[in-house]
Amino acid sequence: MAQQHQTNTASRLFPTYKRWDLTFKEAKGSYITDSNGKTYIDLMAGIGVVNLGHSHPAVTAAVEKQLYSGWHASNFFQYPSQEKTAALLTENSCGDLVFFANSGAEANEAAIKLVRKHTGRKKIISFVQSFHGRTLGSMAATGQESIQQGFGPMLEEFVYVPYNDVSALEKAIDEETAAVILEPLQGEGGVIPGHEEFLQKAEQLAEQYGALLVADEVQTGLGRTGAFFAHEHAGIKPDIITTAKALGNGFPTGAMIGKAKLEASFGPGSHGSTFGGNPLAMAAAEAVLTVLLEENLSKKTAETGKAFLGVLQKSLQPLEQVTEVRGRGLMIGIETKCPAAEKVLELQSKGVLVIAAGPSVIRLLPPLTTEWDTLMDGAKAIQEVLQ
């Protein structure tokens, strides 16, 4: 007889998420409808995932076609769709080779393994308030004690220095450093853009000390900031780029992109993933990248994001509750003097979905395809809530 366990709720899910009182029903474009029939403007895109908008016809068609051809055979087989997707990623980045995973955390986990194996060193420099994932390796790379708390000793030899602090980085890096891992624009840490001189110095110091530079583009990549990858704004060329979130437009997939010099360090048996790069994920990713490139969404996002940021700064920064409005492209943070979580819920009552980044920052990550009038409706609601 199965053992009976008492529980305080009807749910059989671990309570790992602070869920809203909203039940998802369906989504289309830049809108989500709940089970009560209320429709919301989506200014969060599944936390920077649905860059092309919900239910994009090209992505849906590609996945649907693959559904009837086969879902899985294993990575012992050669998948032409992996080669096509890898080509799109490398032809539009400074990388040469791709490893496919299922998520951003997995892509970062692969990067951590690769830098240690390639350099023969263990020390990795990360940054305060960074976020790289919740697996043991990517959690150790994350510079937030609240995320690490309660899980015992972290993977050894991670060093955290203040973000955008060139002097601190210069003091931390040495001949024992395997890599510097950074977000070109910190997301979970509060939507903090990396200064150009800081990112360039990180690249220069890594090269000087024989370390690798890893750009975590899980949230910032694939058009989000107005470039294919956000590090391009600073003109740097990381040794490794990780990406996920928007890569499948909602279908779980991720990738680690690396330079050719790293090939020998990631040979047969060195790493693997049962589902990484499976045909369904590759169908989604290839369609996403094709639309992103053919429609030149990075450039359009740069233009739309600059205008949208200007509107928000003009309407919100004079308000007593607002400290700063910052960001790049369609990745925008509104720092407030009040708890961001409260304002997130108030905006839901007005039919607008946003998320927080830390205790005091309202984060906006709308689909890159969002119409201007929809963005303006969202901006109006945000102004009303913060007034």
Side-chain angles (χ1 to χ4, degrees):
M1 182 177 178
Q3 186 176 354
Q4 298 296 313
H5 299 277
Q6 289 187 344
T7 178
N8 294 325
T9 68
S11 177
R12 292 299 183 266
L13 299 173
F14 274 108
T16 48
Y17 305 105
K18 294 181 179 178
R19 297 185 191 271
W20 297 326
D21 189 21
L22 298 176
T23 300
F24 177 89
K25 181 184 178 185
E26 59 187 9
K28 187 80 172 177
S30 299
Y31 297 90
I32 290 178
T33 301
D34 69 15
S35 58
N36 295 318
K38 182 174 180 178
T39 297
Y40 302 80
I41 295 172
D42 182 7
L43 298 185
M44 58 177 281
I47 316 180
V49 168
V50 193
N51 278 13
L52 302 186
H54 297 278
S55 306
H56 191 282
V59 182
T60 301
V63 174
E64 186 176 39
K65 181 180 178 182
Q66 186 61 50
L67 277 172
Y68 297 99
S69 300
W71 298 14
H72 179 80
S74 88
N75 280 307
F76 287 117
F77 287 81
Q78 297 185 37
Y79 292 128
S81 57
Q82 282 191 5
E83 292 289 352
K84 291 177 184 177
T85 307
L88 288 170
L89 288 170
T90 55
E91 289 166 6
N92 292 281
S93 72
C94 59
D96 303 297
L97 299 164
V98 178
F99 174 84
F100 286 111
N102 301 296
S103 67
E106 284 190 20
N108 285 332
E109 198 79 26
I112 292 165
K113 286 181 66 174
L114 178 53
V115 300
R116 291 180 68 162
K117 189 160 190 264
H118 183 77
T119 63
R121 306 172 183 177
K122 296 179 181 178
K123 178 180 173 181
I124 298 177
I125 296 174
S126 180
F127 296 90
V128 177
Q129 289 302 112
S130 61
F131 183 84
H132 300 290
R134 293 179 183 271
T135 57
L136 282 171
S138 60
M139 179 172 62
T142 295
Q144 298 188 46
E145 286 186 14
S146 60
I147 286 171
Q148 299 175 349
Q149 194 171 7
F151 295 103
M154 290 293 106
L155 185 65
E156 293 179 353
E157 297 197 45
F158 277 88
V159 176
Y160 315 103
V161 300
Y163 191 65
N164 277 328
D165 190 330
V166 170
S167 177
L169 180 56
E170 287 175 326
K171 291 175 183 175
I173 197 166
D174 56 25
E175 289 81 2
E176 299 301 315
T177 304
V180 177
I181 183 169
L182 55 78
E183 300 157 272
L185 190 162
Q186 285 192 334
E188 307 297 323
V191 191
I192 303 169
H195 299 160
E196 188 173 297
E197 61 273 20
F198 167 73
L199 298 175
Q200 291 172 352
K201 192 66 175 179
E203 178 184 48
Q204 182 256 308
L205 287 169
E207 184 176 356
Q208 178 182 334
Y209 285 95
L212 300 176
L213 180 64
V214 181
D216 179 341
E217 296 263 13
V218 170
Q219 187 168 151
T220 56
L222 306 182
R224 172 57 56 187
T225 67
F228 194 79
F229 285 117
H231 66 263
E232 296 169 15
H233 296 297
I236 62 173
K237 295 181 178 181
D239 298 292
I240 295 173
I241 305 162
T242 57
T243 184
K245 286 188 180 290
L247 183 58
N249 207 58
F251 199 101
T253 189
M256 180 192 70
I257 309 163
K259 290 184 176 177
K261 66 182 180 181
L262 304 173
E263 182 175 7
S265 299
F266 238 38
S270 58
H271 197 48
S273 170
T274 297
F275 298 113
N278 76 78
L280 289 173
M282 293 300 93
E286 184 184 348
V288 166
L289 294 170
T290 300
V291 171
L292 180 67
L293 293 164
E294 288 184 351
E295 297 186 7
N296 203 4
L297 279 179
S298 296
K299 183 182 178 186
K300 292 178 182 176
T301 299
E303 295 167 354
T304 302
K306 184 178 180 180
F308 188 42
L309 180 63
V311 167
L312 292 170
Q313 287 174 332
K314 184 177 179 181
S315 62
L316 301 181
Q317 287 196 163
L319 303 180
E320 186 179 344
Q321 296 250 37
V322 177
T323 303
E324 185 183 16
V325 181
R326 56 178 177 260
R328 191 153 202 166
L330 285 171
M331 185 171 178
I332 296 171
I334 304 163
E335 187 167 352
T336 70
K337 297 175 184 176
C338 50
E342 293 179 4
K343 300 303 175 184
V344 168
L345 296 179
E346 286 182 42
L347 279 164
Q348 287 178 14
S349 69
K350 289 184 172 291
V352 177
L353 300 174
V354 300
I355 48 175
S360 60
V361 176
I362 298 168
R363 183 172 22 158
L364 309 183
L365 299 163
L368 309 186
T369 53
T370 307
E371 297 287 342
W372 181 254
D373 288 349
T374 303
L375 292 175
M376 291 302 94
D377 288 342
K380 181 181 178 183
I382 293 168
Q383 183 180 11
E384 289 172 356
V385 163
L386 290 174
Q387 248 170 351

